[in-house]
Amino acid sequence: MARLVVIPETFTMVNFDHARLVELAEEVAGRVGIPADLEVRVEIDEGSPLGRTKLASVDPVTLWMQGGALENPKVPRTLSDRSVRDVFARLLFRANDRLAPGFAEAPPDDDLTLQQHTAWDTYAVGRSERLGYNPSRQRRLYHFRNRHGFSDVADAVFDRLWSADGLSWADLEAACAETAAGREPAPA
Amino acid sequence: MKKLMAPDELARDGRFVRLNTIDRFSDPRTQRGAGTGGRMGNRLTPDRPGAPDAARNLMHGIFVGEIQALEGAGRTCWDYEVGAGPDDVPFAFKLDMARQCWDEARHCEISVKLGDWMGTEIGEFAETAFLFEAACNPDPVLRLTGVNRALEGLAIDVFNAMREFGVVSGDPVLEFCEDWMLADEVTHVKMGSDWLRRITEKDPERRDKALEFQRIVDKLFSGGGFRGDDEDSPIKLACRFRELAGFTGDEMDELGELSRQSRAEAQAALAARAAGG
């Protein structure tokens, strides 16, 4: 099983149990298929109640996230198993993709467009659902529609990405191009 | 049936979790300025990376606000007798509150369906009872200013902002829902403006007290400049709709000023905390 190093080791602004967080993250890493000899570094900004996350690096694999992404939205400052599984599955699937040759051409995360980010997230979260996790499909569809358009074309592409396996970066680019072709520019 | 029900007596099923005001404001993360989501000086627009989730969170807040508005208008129908005394209200006032209940119930249903559309579960986010607390004032005129003019006025601003969000993101469902609810909110604020004028026609002191209560609620909900008339205010004052609802130009200028004050105070507090380590 891959080794997860979660920083900080002690949380002072939120009531997160470090051991539980590592346990959940390692469980997800194992199920996603992160190589057992890989160390994954996780940096958490516990001082932020917001929910931004990113794959900061693949060499070494480094995940960065704001504490709000892992908390229970009903009980602020407490850890939510569902949120942890949701976030780690999405980011670790992306890390795994980046380690594969089919994604060698993908730009760094900071250079991805919102459409590319959302298409990749859809592909990742769809796979996490098939692992038995319980992400909200409708929430992801809403994200996708916001970025790719509220249209039948966008919905069809979403369905395809959600149920896909073995895609490459070229497939995600093609999906983005397909929705872009049917999208009208937003009103000024 | 008892009158003047307290906020902690509101009935909710197991999906809802109530966050009290002390817990909300004692979160150490928001005290260091991280709670605004970068909203201070940032409008909620679809091109922001976290915009879809921010919109879902905001709309869930609106949903629980609709439930509390229904409860508040319902209690205001019940809590007062019909008459001309200082603790009484005109029958037509009760009819307006009953009509508002009907609107709010419809808004709850719309919000539930909108939540389904946006991928939000009922009770997904913690609920605060600010709105109902403003509806607990023993004086019905202060309820009019605190709820109908201040909070329903805020609802005008939020619905207008979210309607624009729907237009820009191309979301026909969000745009349509917000447009319909916005129309009702204008009516609710107008009812507040009209009844305030009529009930306090011969009692300027009571009117001043009610308007002062409105200013307090308005300032509270301008939280750090969250709502204001500056170009970069996350939620902009919807001046045209407020005008339709009976707000004067002076009142809107005052709201803009309250927001700037609130933003300046929040920034000063953050600076003081930063200086203190």
Side-chain angles (χ1 to χ4, degrees), chain A residues 13-14 45-50 52 71 73-77 82 114 136 138-139 142-143 145-147 150 186-187, chain B residues 15 17 27-29 32 34 37 46-49 52-53 56 116-119 121 123-124 126 168-171:
Chain A
M13 303 189 88
V14 291
D45 175 6
E46 64 162 331
S48 174
L50 305 177
R52 295 198 66 183
E71 77 180 0
K74 291 184 194 225
V75 190
R77 300 172 62 211
R82 183 182 178 183
L114 288 172
S136 167
Q138 190 64 25
R139 173 187 169 206
Y142 180 66
H143 282 215
R145 285 168 166 167
N146 264 279
R147 305 312 184 194
F150 289 79
Chain B
R15 291 172 294 184
V17 174
D27 186 334
R29 300 172 302 174
R32 64 193 276 271
D47 56 353
R48 274 179 41 187
D53 274 338
R56 290 188 328 105
D116 290 344
W117 169 255
M118 298 170 89
E121 295 164 12
E124 182 173 333
V168 176
S169 63
D171 181 346

Side-chain angles (χ1 to χ4, degrees), chain A residues 162-182:
Chain A
W162 186 266
S163 54
D165 265 314
L167 297 184
S168 66
W169 173 244
D171 295 320
L172 293 186
E173 277 192 306
C176 291
E178 191 176 338
T179 61

Side-chain angles (χ1 to χ4, degrees), chain A:
Chain A
M1 184 184 287
R3 181 165 171 265
L4 271 286
V5 177
V6 177
I7 298 164
E9 284 191 5
T10 305
F11 295 96
T12 57
M13 303 189 88
V14 291
N15 304 314
F16 289 1
D17 179 340
H18 184 269
R20 177 65 179 157
L21 180 50
V22 172
E23 179 190 351
L24 287 167
E26 287 185 342
E27 167 213 299
V28 175
R31 296 186 72 178
V32 165
I34 296 291
D37 58 348
L38 207 65
E39 181 176 285
V40 177
R41 184 180 169 86
V42 182
E43 296 169 0
I44 299 173
D45 175 6
E46 64 162 331
S48 174
L50 305 177
R52 295 198 66 183
T53 63
K54 72 174 181 180
L55 174 60
S57 150
V58 282
D59 187 19
V61 174
T62 306
L63 316 182
W64 174 89
M65 56 197 72
Q66 293 174 320
L70 306 177
E71 77 180 0
N72 180 349
K74 291 184 194 225
V75 190
R77 300 172 62 211
T78 62
L79 195 67
S80 154
D81 287 6
R82 183 182 178 183
S83 298
V84 172
R85 289 185 170 116
D86 210 35
V87 167
F88 277 84
R90 181 167 50 82
L91 293 178
L92 289 173
F93 265 122
R94 184 180 291 202
N96 231 6
D97 289 340
R98 280 196 179 276
L99 293 169
F103 282 83
E105 301 301 315
D109 267 32
D110 287 342
D111 295 340
L112 294 175
T113 64
L114 288 172
Q115 285 76 22
Q116 289 167 335
H117 264 295
T118 312
W120 205 338
D121 282 348
T122 302
Y123 174 46
V125 180
R127 284 176 285 170
S128 81
E129 186 188 50
R130 291 194 293 284
L131 284 182
Y133 293 134
N134 186 29
S136 167
R137 184 181 189 280
Q138 190 64 25
R139 173 187 169 206
R140 289 292 155 191
L141 176 59
Y142 180 66
H143 282 215
F144 194 83
R145 285 168 166 167
N146 264 279
R147 305 312 184 194
H148 290 267
F150 289 79
S151 68
D152 291 345
V153 172
D155 284 6
V157 171
F158 175 87
D159 285 340
R160 211 169 64 225
L161 293 175
W162 186 266
S163 54
D165 265 314
L167 297 184
S168 66
W169 173 244
D171 295 320
L172 293 186
E173 277 192 306
C176 291
E178 191 176 338
T179 61
R183 209 159 53 238
E184 292 175 12

Side-chain angles (χ1 to χ4, degrees), chain B residues 54-164:
Chain B
R56 290 188 328 105
N57 194 335
L58 184 57
M59 291 317 300
H60 189 274
I62 294 288
F63 162 54
V64 293
E66 298 293 355
I67 299 173
Q68 291 174 34
L70 167 59
E71 292 165 320
R75 297 307 304 189
T76 299
C77 268
W78 173 250
D79 285 345
Y80 307 102
E81 300 301 325
V82 172
D87 297 326
D88 301 331
V89 295
F91 181 66
F93 171 86
K94 287 200 176 210
L95 284 181
D96 271 352
M97 289 297 113
R99 178 251 157 94
Q100 188 174 331
C101 287
W102 182 34
D103 291 344
E104 306 296 7
R106 204 170 53 249
H107 293 182
C108 290
E109 292 189 325
I110 291 171
S111 296
V112 168
K113 288 181 165 55
L114 194 54
D116 290 344
W117 169 255
M118 298 170 89
T120 307
E121 295 164 12
I122 292 175
E124 182 173 333
F125 302 96
E127 175 186 13
T128 53
F130 285 153
L131 193 145
F132 191 79
E133 283 163 6
C136 289
N137 201 293
D139 185 339
V141 176
L142 269 67
R143 292 190 187 186
L144 284 172
T145 51
V147 177
N148 283 68
R149 298 198 93 229
L151 294 178
E152 300 279 324
L154 173 65
I156 286 181
D157 304 328
V158 172
F159 282 134
N160 190 49
M162 292 310 294
R163 186 174 62 98
E164 287 175 5

Side-chain angles (χ1 to χ4, degrees), chain B residues 181-199:
Chain B
M181 292 194 282
L182 173 59
D184 288 334
E185 300 304 344
V186 171
T187 304
H188 301 165
V189 177
K190 180 83 165 56
M191 290 192 307
S193 300
D194 290 347
W195 281 114
L196 170 68
R197 194 179 59 248
R198 288 158 74 173
I199 294 177

